Amino acid sequence: MAKLLILESKQEFQKTLLTWFKKHQRDLPWRGIDDPYRIWISEVMLQQTQVKKVVGYYERFIKRFPDVQQLAAATLQDVLKVWEGLGYYARARNLRKAANIVVEDLDGVIPNDYSNFRQLPGVGDYSAAAVLSITFNAPYAAVDGNIKRVLARLFIMETPINDGRSAKLFQQKADDLLDLEEPGLFNQAMMELGAIVCRPQSPTCLVCPVNTFCQAFQAKRQDEFPLRLKKEKAPEHQMVAGVIYKGSEVLIVQRPLDGLLGGLWEFPNGRIAEDETAEEACIRYITEVVNLSVTNIKYLTRIKHAYTHFKIVVDVFQCDYQSGEVVLKGLIDAKWVKLTSLQDYPLPRATHKFLDKLIL
Ligand code: SF4
């Protein structure tokens, strides 16, 4: 029988988990520090992203922007360039915006109270709880996907973890379980347990430090949890992109700041309509979004890329500038650049997939 998490065994659970964490936690660059700026950056990067991917990005980001003042002073392009490839670019844009607010309105001091910190752009319940508990030992339970999974198994929770309506329930369970003396360490311990022991597939229950408390393990049902709502299959969009050459330069355009890949640079592109060929679509987009006429259009390559909610298949064409002045539609900037300068601009991963096909 799993030990019920009544007060006495709750304290036993907390003690057992913390003892395990202090001994087995991974050595990560944001561990063992209490600098709110660095903890904040790490927590934002860790959202939706695996630790092993984050480590390198975190180290480069902190090297380039070691404090909130330097982040606030950076251009959006600099910030996006360091973030390039990490995805979910709104996180980077919001961090820079929030850094500006901290520097301009809050004397450069990151708020140590929940309501003020939570008001900064991009800060949600999870980041506020994680940053404030880890940095200031504030008594807030952080609930991310890892922690939801652990809770769902510990308590045999029959609510799907990806159902928005279940958020409150998971938060209540986490609040109830939180160690109020060491909330920061406890939150990290729960995350670590989810990441390295109570993994999505094949949790290593036999060596789990809290298996005597776990209702799913005791009932041999750990593989049944967490429950999930079935996701719709991600749609696949057929797209085209056009690399326009003008002498030794190509035209790149900047996406609007809000929305997917906001602020990144790319080649003019769009979705192919049902009644047109890829080549026709390419010419149409170039006319529509940058107002140019092109000639010598040639097929270059096809790439595929998956985003969280959809996939794209992009036929890439190259062509030569023929006439017209650039007039933008739905974009915020455009530049003629040498291919060798493309690396100075933050580009989507999908664009990186065909850069080596371009002729220098
Ligand atoms: Fe997760 Fe297994 Fe530990 Fe339960 S016993 S918390 S299912 S690893």
Side-chain angles (χ1 to χ4, degrees):
M1 269 295 270
K3 296 182 193 177
L4 289 175
L5 290 175
I6 51 176
L7 185 62
E8 198 177 320
S9 59
K10 185 166 90 180
Q11 286 165 350
E12 206 187 315
F13 174 89
Q14 293 163 343
K15 202 169 152 225
T16 308
L17 182 65
L18 286 178
T19 306
W20 168 82
F21 179 64
K22 287 172 189 170
K23 195 162 168 205
H24 295 282
Q25 63 175 302
R26 289 167 295 177
D27 184 17
L28 298 170
W30 49 84
R31 290 259 163 88
I33 58 170
D34 58 5
D35 175 344
Y37 172 72
R38 291 180 183 216
I39 301 288
W40 183 13
I41 301 298
S42 70
E43 285 302 333
V44 173
M45 286 187 168
L46 286 164
Q47 289 164 24
Q48 328 262 8
T49 315
Q50 292 196 330
V51 165
K52 63 174 190 258
K53 185 169 183 185
V54 167
V55 170
Y57 277 95
Y58 171 85
E59 286 174 335
R60 286 191 291 279
F61 195 94
I62 292 297
K63 195 169 171 201
R64 180 76 179 73
F65 313 114
D67 52 40
V68 72
Q69 286 75 12
Q70 298 197 49
L71 178 57
T75 64
L76 177 63
Q77 188 156 315
D78 282 346
V79 177
L80 289 175
K81 187 66 198 168
V82 180
W83 204 273
E84 187 184 46
L86 196 57
Y88 301 100
Y89 293 91
R91 297 181 297 175
R93 296 194 303 274
N94 281 329
L95 266 177
R96 179 173 164 271
K97 248 192 247 170
N100 269 299
I101 293 171
V102 170
V103 169
E104 283 171 21
D105 302 342
L106 305 172
D107 293 331
V109 179
I110 294 172
N112 62 3
D113 67 288
Y114 194 92
S115 63
N116 285 328
F117 186 66
R118 177 74 176 73
Q119 277 175 32
L120 294 172
V123 175
D125 291 335
Y126 168 78
S127 345
V131 173
L132 296 179
S133 66
I134 295 170
T135 315
F136 303 111
N137 221 26
Y140 298 103
V143 182
D144 68 352
N146 274 338
I147 292 182
K148 277 188 187 173
R149 182 172 63 253
V150 174
L151 292 170
R153 288 170 174 166
L154 276 176
F155 296 103
I156 300 203
M157 292 175 72
E158 305 278 355
T159 335
I161 57 168
N162 57 342
D163 183 347
R165 290 166 297 183
S166 70
K168 216 170 164 185
L169 198 60
F170 281 101
Q171 186 68 53
Q172 279 165 358
K173 279 281 181 211
D175 290 346
D176 187 43
L177 203 54
L178 185 68
D179 182 331
L180 296 175
E181 283 177 20
E182 298 191 274
L185 273 187
F186 185 81
N187 280 332
Q188 292 179 82
M190 287 287 281
M191 293 174 207
E192 194 76 341
L193 187 75
I196 65 177
V197 178
C198 195
R199 301 178 307 217
Q201 263 78 46
S202 313
T204 51
C205 300
L206 291 176
V207 295
C208 173
V210 292
N211 58 13
T212 54
F213 300 88
C214 178
Q215 296 179 10
F217 176 63
Q218 298 296 326
K220 298 191 172 51
R221 295 181 63 198
Q222 63 269 30
D223 295 332
E224 294 174 35
F225 294 91
L227 301 184
R228 288 183 175 279
L229 291 178
K230 221 172 159 193
K231 270 196 196 163
E232 302 262 316
K233 200 172 167 237
E236 187 174 87
H237 302 315
Q238 307 298 318
M239 302 188 63
V240 284
V243 182
I244 310 167
Y245 283 82
K246 189 182 191 184
S248 61
E249 293 182 326
V250 292
L251 185 73
I252 54 171
V253 293
Q254 190 178 22
R255 295 175 68 94
L257 295 185
D258 46 353
L260 184 74
L261 309 173
L264 268 66
W265 294 80
E266 60 187 8
F267 299 103
N269 66 82
R271 277 162 74 168
I272 304 172
E274 271 179 23
D275 58 351
E276 66 186 348
T277 64
E279 185 174 323
E280 286 164 353
C282 188
I283 295 168
R284 174 170 66 80
Y285 275 109
I286 289 171
T287 314
E288 275 178 18
V289 302
V290 289
N291 189 46
L292 297 181
S293 297
V294 294
T295 183
N296 284 336
I297 186 154
K298 286 183 203 121
Y299 175 79
L300 195 61
T301 189
R302 169 175 284 189
I303 60 109
K304 294 182 178 186
H305 191 71
Y307 294 99
T308 314
H309 300 296
F310 64 94
K311 297 174 184 174
I312 55 171
V313 178
V314 189
D315 283 335
V316 185
F317 290 85
Q318 67 174 56
C319 53
D320 292 327
Y321 165 84
Q322 188 174 42
S323 62
E325 286 291 320
V326 172
V327 179
L328 298 175
K329 184 175 166 201
L331 299 162
I332 57 173
D333 202 359
K335 281 185 180 162
W336 291 102
V337 296
K338 296 215 175 302
L339 286 179
T340 48
S341 304
L342 279 175
Q343 61 190 14
D344 299 336
Y345 294 85
L347 308 170
R349 292 185 82 179
T351 302
H352 274 284
K353 286 186 175 175
F354 61 82
L355 282 188
D356 64 342
K357 298 276 188 304
L358 303 183
I359 301 153
L360 282 170

